Amino acid sequence: MAIMKTRDFFEQVNQAFLDNDTSFIKENVTEDVVWTMAGEGVIRGKTAFVEFMEKMGMGDDRDGTLTIDNIITEGPQTAVIGKMTGTMEGTMKTYLYCDIYLLDEQQNGKIKELTSFVTEMKE
């Protein structure tokens, strides 16, 4: 039987990225998680995943905003389409993104794969 998470769960995951809430992310990814960023590279393993999140450093941004336009779920896969605004490298930037998640049905639906398509929105 396929494990499915609710819309609320994926909203929490995306908010955790904006808030740099690595504790939430650690609880909800597998040890061998793979994060593929289209055109940028691949991050393998929970430790590397969390270290990369910390390097992004969006959690210090009190003006950051998150808008989720759509969440599409089919079995263990979910696509989240949205917009995130935050301070990156000292400059306020807005990114449009589509994240595709694959959940591990053997580990209570933890995230085992994440593929991100991200582009910076130009004014």
Side-chain angles (χ1 to χ4, degrees):
M1 184 170 131
I3 296 281
M4 291 180 59
K5 295 283 188 167
T6 65
R7 177 180 180 90
D8 183 55
F9 171 76
F10 290 102
E11 288 172 353
Q12 290 174 12
V13 169
N14 280 259
Q15 190 65 46
F17 274 97
L18 181 65
D19 296 341
N20 208 15
D21 183 355
T22 56
S23 295
F24 182 85
I25 295 300
K26 284 180 191 177
E27 291 174 22
N28 289 287
V29 299
T30 63
E31 289 296 327
D32 61 346
V33 64
V34 175
W35 184 7
T36 303
M37 288 166 283
E40 298 293 325
V42 178
I43 295 171
R44 297 180 189 281
K46 183 187 286 192
T47 301
F49 191 108
V50 170
E51 286 173 357
F52 187 80
M53 262 189 76
E54 289 171 343
K55 190 172 98 175
M56 286 171 44
M58 292 184 79
D60 297 331
D61 183 8
R62 302 204 189 293
D63 295 324
T65 60
L66 172 67
T67 303
I68 296 176
D69 297 319
N70 205 352
I71 296 176
I72 305 164
T73 300
E74 177 67 34
Q77 293 184 316
T78 297
V80 179
I81 302 162
K83 178 171 66 171
M84 192 175 289
T85 300
T87 303
M88 295 287 289
E89 301 167 352
T91 305
M92 185 65 81
K93 296 183 179 186
T94 299
Y95 296 93
L96 304 174
Y97 70 92
C98 177
D99 286 336
I100 302 170
Y101 297 88
L102 178 62
L103 303 179
D104 189 326
E105 296 181 68
Q106 305 303 312
Q107 294 192 38
N108 199 27
K110 288 186 176 188
I111 298 164
K112 78 177 198 175
E113 291 181 23
L114 169 58
T115 302
S116 297
F117 297 88
V118 180
T119 188
E120 185 178 349
M121 191 170 151
K122 304 294 182 189
E123 298 299 321

